[in-house]
Amino acid sequence: MTNQNVIVSDAKGVAIKVTVAKKAMFSQSVPKPMTEGGGGGCFTIPMNIKVLKVDTEGGAARVNAWVDSLRASSPTRVKSATPQSLSETVDYNSWTIHHPSAMSMFEQITNASKGKQIVMFLDYDGTLSPIVEDPDRAFMSKEMRKAVRAAARYFPTAIVSGRCRDKVYSFVKLGELYYAGSHGMDIRGPSKSSKYKNDNQAVLFQPASEFVPMIDEVYKTLLEKTRSISGARVENNKFCLSVHFRCVDEKSWAALAEQVRLVLNEYPKLRLTQGRKVLEIRPTIKWDKGKALEFLLESLGYANSNEVFPVYIGDDRTDEDAFKVLRDRGQGFGILVSKVPKETNASYTLQEPAEVKDFLLRLVKWKRLSNQQRN
């Protein structure tokens, strides 16, 4: 392997400290998370989350910079996984030296995880489902659902998405999983009994609850302001907003960015980030998918443990926060889903959701055989 090999070292502490009460939820050594009704054990969470400063002013120059960034982060999707030119082939081959396929490196990956508890973190759009023009039709296949369900039998599994948690659940429909919606600002544990739970109480954490009225207000404003831009779509994810421009003519990107800028000028407590053909509007608290990953590891009792092996699979720029956390912790690894070379903190790659499904099934088969050999 290259310098992407996983070497477990002392894990860094996380921003959220947990005080434990009553019996463990997953094992005798695991803390009991906060419950929706407030009963049982609970997390004591110091709310010292940092606030980010946001620059939404700057007029035309700022909008032009946004549009240039949108073009750079939203390359034309390739129809084939095979590079089309010699230069593309050289670039792709050079990139895969540093970010090899998780399928081709499968044996090295599983060897690194031996003796540790694998915990799976999965993005949704572009990872479990294909990227589609209509975000309301981003359905996962029955085969993918079976693969995720099989993985959850052997590994604690979480879906971490920028979407509203309820929306993601309506797509996945698996009660035994953890769901972290709104880029991790809306986290809930399994609603269905599993071997990782001792009772039916669920994790619940919503660090941006106070922003919900503001998000609703901005959502209504943006619906009105973007109505004249053909193809623009505003999605309310409860704790954040998504402005989709996948179906917007590139000539109208500047007009769309200008409308978003004008609206955000009135809301200094909100910030703008971007993903694949989408602008994300979020509260300025320092919370992202990486923080959600840390929180979930903490709730599982693995905050400072060398006995855990987190695996995060995602395709978007917003997943880089989680990839970076794994690199900084020095344990587990990130897998980027992409057919084209990209700057990433992920260690490995898979090309498309179909490969994600194959990887999950292969991991399940490996774990099943490992268990049989021990018995």
Side-chain angles (χ1 to χ4, degrees):
M1 295 178 67
T2 68
N3 59 358
Q4 304 298 326
N5 292 355
V6 178
I7 302 175
V8 177
S9 61
D10 291 337
K12 291 187 176 182
V14 296
I16 298 176
K17 303 301 180 184
V18 179
T19 299
V20 183
K22 288 195 177 181
K23 67 178 182 178
M25 181 173 170
F26 304 93
S27 71
Q28 292 184 348
S29 62
V30 179
K32 187 180 187 72
M34 178 174 68
T35 62
E36 190 168 15
C42 65
F43 282 130
T44 299
I45 306 173
M47 297 304 291
N48 57 349
I49 300 172
K50 296 180 179 178
V51 176
L52 304 176
K53 292 183 179 180
V54 182
D55 176 18
T56 54
E57 299 181 358
R62 182 65 174 167
V63 169
N64 290 337
W66 280 2
V67 172
D68 289 341
S69 183
L70 294 180
R71 292 193 183 101
S73 65
S74 304
T76 302
R77 283 174 21 191
V78 294
K79 295 182 179 179
S80 170
T82 305
Q84 300 300 306
S85 68
L86 178 59
S87 62
E88 287 177 342
T89 300
V90 172
D91 289 344
Y92 185 78
N93 289 343
S94 175
W95 183 66
T96 55
I97 290 174
H98 299 285
H99 308 286
S101 166
M103 295 296 281
S104 65
M105 303 297 284
F106 187 81
E107 185 175 347
Q108 290 89 332
I109 291 170
T110 53
N111 284 340
S113 71
K114 285 182 179 178
K116 302 175 179 66
Q117 173 64 62
I118 293 176
V119 181
M120 297 297 305
F121 298 90
L122 304 167
D123 180 30
Y124 184 75
D125 293 276
T127 299
L128 299 182
S129 74
I131 296 293
V132 296
E133 291 187 353
D134 183 353
D136 287 337
R137 300 192 63 79
F139 304 119
M140 68 190 301
S141 67
K142 292 181 180 179
E143 292 75 17
M144 179 65 85
R145 184 173 291 105
K146 289 179 181 178
V148 175
R149 180 185 288 117
R153 290 194 187 106
Y154 292 95
F155 321 113
T157 301
I159 308 297
V160 186
S161 172
R163 299 273 204 137
C164 170
R165 174 171 56 81
D166 290 341
K167 184 69 173 181
V168 176
Y169 184 86
S170 73
F171 284 139
V172 180
K173 301 176 183 177
L174 294 175
E176 58 267 44
L177 308 185
Y178 290 82
Y179 291 87
S182 300
H183 298 285
M185 288 182 285
D186 188 7
I187 300 176
R188 183 158 188 175
S191 58
K192 182 179 177 181
S193 222
S194 77
K195 67 178 181 180
Y196 300 107
K197 294 184 63 178
N198 291 333
D199 54 39
N200 207 33
Q201 292 178 316
V203 177
L204 181 66
F205 182 52
Q206 298 174 335
S209 296
E210 65 183 279
F211 290 90
V212 171
M214 184 183 298
I215 291 292
D216 287 341
E217 185 176 308
V218 174
Y219 171 67
K220 294 173 183 176
T221 302
L222 282 173
L223 280 179
E224 183 63 32
K225 296 292 185 181
T226 62
R227 195 181 303 278
S228 62
I229 301 176
S230 179
R233 187 184 184 108
V234 185
E235 183 178 10
N236 190 338
N237 298 312
K238 189 172 181 178
F239 297 98
C240 61
L241 299 172
S242 297
V243 181
H244 299 274
F245 60 94
R246 183 167 299 277
C247 297
V248 175
D249 189 294
E250 189 171 333
K251 295 178 181 178
S252 299
W253 286 7
L256 179 61
E258 173 66 7
Q259 290 298 331
V260 172
R261 183 189 73 84
L262 290 173
V263 172
L264 287 188
N265 276 346
E266 304 300 318
Y267 297 90
K269 291 185 177 181
L270 298 179
R271 64 186 175 113
L272 184 73
T273 61
Q274 61 195 67
R276 293 177 63 178
K277 297 288 180 70
V278 63
L279 292 170
E280 306 277 6
I281 298 168
R282 310 191 223 173
T284 51
I285 61 173
K286 192 171 177 58
W287 193 265
D288 51 40
K289 291 182 177 182
K291 295 293 185 184
L293 181 152
E294 290 181 311
F295 176 83
L296 286 167
L297 288 177
E298 180 103 1
S299 72
L300 283 161
Y302 293 120
N304 298 298
S305 172
N306 288 327
E307 298 178 355
V308 66
F309 196 84
V311 178
Y312 189 106
I313 307 178
D315 74 307
D316 198 75
R317 174 179 289 193
T318 58
D319 298 309
E320 290 297 326
D321 295 314
F323 296 153
K324 186 176 185 302
V325 164
L326 294 183
R327 278 198 175 277
D328 290 347
R329 289 174 68 98
Q331 60 183 169
F333 59 85
I335 300 176
L336 175 68
V337 183
S338 179
K339 293 182 178 181
V340 297
K342 295 180 180 179
E343 289 187 18
T344 182
N345 284 300
S347 299
Y348 304 105
T349 59
L350 293 168
Q351 291 198 346
E352 57 190 352
E355 277 203 340
V356 174
K357 173 179 66 68
D358 293 342
F359 178 81
L360 292 176
L361 291 175
R362 190 173 176 183
L363 198 62
V364 166
K365 182 178 180 180
W366 165 80
K367 184 63 175 178
R368 186 183 297 125
L369 290 175
S370 297
N371 290 348
Q372 290 173 355
Q373 290 170 1
R374 281 204 306 269
N375 297 331

